[in-house]
Amino acid sequence: MAKVRETVLQLDLKALAHNYHYLRAKLRPGTKFLCVVKAFAYGSDTQIIAQELEKLGADYFAVAYTNEGVALRDAGITKPILVLHPQEVSFDTIIERCLEPSIYAKHILDGFIKTAKKHGQKDYPAHLKFNTGLNRLGFQYEDITHIATVMKKATAIKALSVFSHLAASEDHSEREFTANQISRFHTITEELDKLLSYRPFRHLLNTSGIMNYPEAQYDMVRSGIALYGYGNETKFDKQLKPVANLKTIISQIHHLKPNETVGYNRGFSSEHPKVTATLPLGHADGIGRHYGNGKTFVSVHGKKAPIIGNVCMDMIMIDVTGIDCVEGDEVLIFGKELSAQEFAETGNTISYELLTGISQRVKRMVIS
Ligand SMILES: *Cc1c(COP(=O)(O)O)cnc(C)c1O
């Protein structure tokens, strides 16, 4: 592996392929696989990751917002793209760029039918999103009759799928709640099929749903985090490989005498002589201030070095006392040998937030 000479997010496409095949193997042969690539493919790189997933055989993609779908089309992605959270202002773009909206509220339904008509569309694919307990986005069970009536009249759009989203699929103490969501989803889809007199395909599971509720696969699953190497549970993490490796180098080493301090507001104070290293990344790169002041560590030549003092915008300082290292040496922030999940936990957050927070300032680089 080439030595790094600045802060880089290395993207391991072999790891991506491994994760993709691992998940695929959990699916029935007929189940479609939607790859979630919102938020720059969970903070990695939309274009690189989506192109690779399309080669691997992804059936569908999903993004949160329309501009993310446009980026996928610009990258040459030809598979269908579901836009999970479109706003009315982007409906023209959705149709122009062949994206498929999630229809989650009455105003979205009415607005999208109007736009599809204006563009002279017939049976434009749309996906009906139902709320089964997350209480975030989606129609209610009670809306079924209204939706069916509107959909049957509208010729410009057609319900290609019906879907919902689980609230606690990773949480084993919420199995009863999840079973309830699954059963609500089942009822909704059955009743809707009858009213529409055709059968939109169905999907419900995210990553932890695939792992913990395989019986609810329906016609498609939607996975994000596991593709990037994290499974929300140690036993699944072990089967997956992190795609993103955040690495940097030591910019400068300092030898502190007792009672010297480090960083803004003198956040760290040395009781004993200490050796510190300054690294060229900070909260503007996605390593937030909650990782400072000794809670979190990085890896220098395989040894743990805590982040000390306050995280700066463009730099962090680490304690390398007793670690044999020099300026220019490589430092692993997170990745293969130091999981983003564990790193995130030290800052009281989750892998999702850490990964998607790595800012666009950090150079992305494919490794193989
Ligand atoms: C983000 C998202 C997913 C992917 O969730 P993971 O836990 O990353 O697999 C699936 N479905 C919806 C609706 C989402 O918003």
Side-chain angles (χ1 to χ4, degrees), residues 136-173:
R136 192 173 71 172
L137 221 51
F139 289 112
Q140 296 298 118
Y141 170 75
E142 291 73 22
D143 299 327
I144 287 188
T145 324
H146 170 83
I147 298 166
T149 313
V150 175
M151 290 302 291
K152 285 184 94 163
K153 237 177 58 200
T155 50
I157 78 168
K158 187 166 183 181
L160 187 57
S161 86
V162 180
F163 74 111
S164 187
H165 193 34
L166 297 176
S169 55
E170 69 277 37
D171 190 343
H172 293 286
S173 67

Side-chain angles (χ1 to χ4, degrees), residues 43-285:
S44 54
D45 184 280
T46 313
Q47 178 170 343
I48 294 168
I49 298 297
Q51 286 174 348
E52 192 65 19
L53 287 169
E54 193 164 71
K55 271 191 234 155
L56 288 167
D59 299 297
Y60 243 92
F61 288 97
V63 291
Y65 300 111
T66 303
N67 61 349
E68 300 178 303
V70 169
L72 288 180
R73 288 287 180 243
D74 287 346
I77 296 299
T78 59
K79 284 278 153 59
I81 300 168
L82 167 58
V83 181
L84 293 165
H85 196 176
Q87 324 284 296
E88 288 189 64
V89 66
S90 66
F91 286 170
D92 286 311
T93 311
I94 287 194
I95 291 173
E96 283 154 16
R97 301 309 301 271
C98 233
L99 307 171
E100 302 178 1
S102 159
I103 306 286
Y104 54 85
K106 288 178 186 170
H107 70 101
I108 295 293
L109 178 62
D110 297 342
F112 194 70
I113 290 173
K114 221 169 118 192
T115 308
K117 255 191 208 157
K118 187 181 82 187
H119 286 260
Q121 294 295 323
K122 192 176 174 301
D123 292 342
Y124 194 90
H127 303 263
L128 299 175
K129 170 81 180 280
F130 277 86
N131 172 30
T132 52
L134 181 58
N135 287 316
R136 192 173 71 172
L137 221 51
F139 289 112
Q140 296 298 118
Y141 170 75
E142 291 73 22
D143 299 327
I144 287 188
T145 324
H146 170 83
I147 298 166
T149 313
V150 175
M151 290 302 291
K152 285 184 94 163
K153 237 177 58 200
T155 50
I157 78 168
K158 187 166 183 181
L160 187 57
S161 86
V162 180
F163 74 111
S164 187
H165 193 34
L166 297 176
S169 55
E170 69 277 37
D171 190 343
H172 293 286
S173 67
E174 294 290 1
R175 288 198 72 92
E176 198 183 321
F177 183 88
T178 304
N180 233 311
Q181 277 199 279
I182 295 171
S183 126
R184 270 185 221 140
F185 182 65
H186 200 78
T187 309
I188 288 166
T189 50
E190 291 288 303
E191 291 192 19
L192 199 65
D193 286 2
K194 275 188 218 137
L195 292 171
L196 288 174
S197 50
Y198 62 91
R199 187 189 185 285
F201 76 84
R202 305 170 182 181
H203 47 114
L204 177 64
L205 303 181
N206 62 347
T207 291
S208 292
I210 297 168
M211 307 296 199
N212 299 323
Y213 301 91
E215 70 281 5
Q217 270 176 35
Y218 292 100
D219 305 303
M220 182 164 83
V221 296
R222 308 183 304 268
S223 180
I225 197 73
L227 287 170
Y228 308 102
Y230 297 95
N232 296 331
E233 206 175 312
T234 317
K235 75 170 181 210
F236 300 126
D237 286 342
K238 281 192 193 136
Q239 306 293 321
L240 298 163
K241 296 185 179 172
V243 169
N245 295 274
L246 183 59
K247 291 182 176 176
T248 189
I249 56 166
I250 295 175
S251 293
Q252 195 175 26
I253 287 187
H254 291 271
H255 294 268
L256 306 185
K257 299 187 197 77
N259 298 318
E260 283 201 274
T261 62
V262 176
Y264 286 131
N265 306 103
R266 310 182 65 202
F268 175 82
S269 166
S270 62
E271 247 175 74
H272 310 285
K274 286 267 178 204
V275 186
T276 69
T278 302
L279 309 181
L281 84 170
H283 62 72
D285 302 287

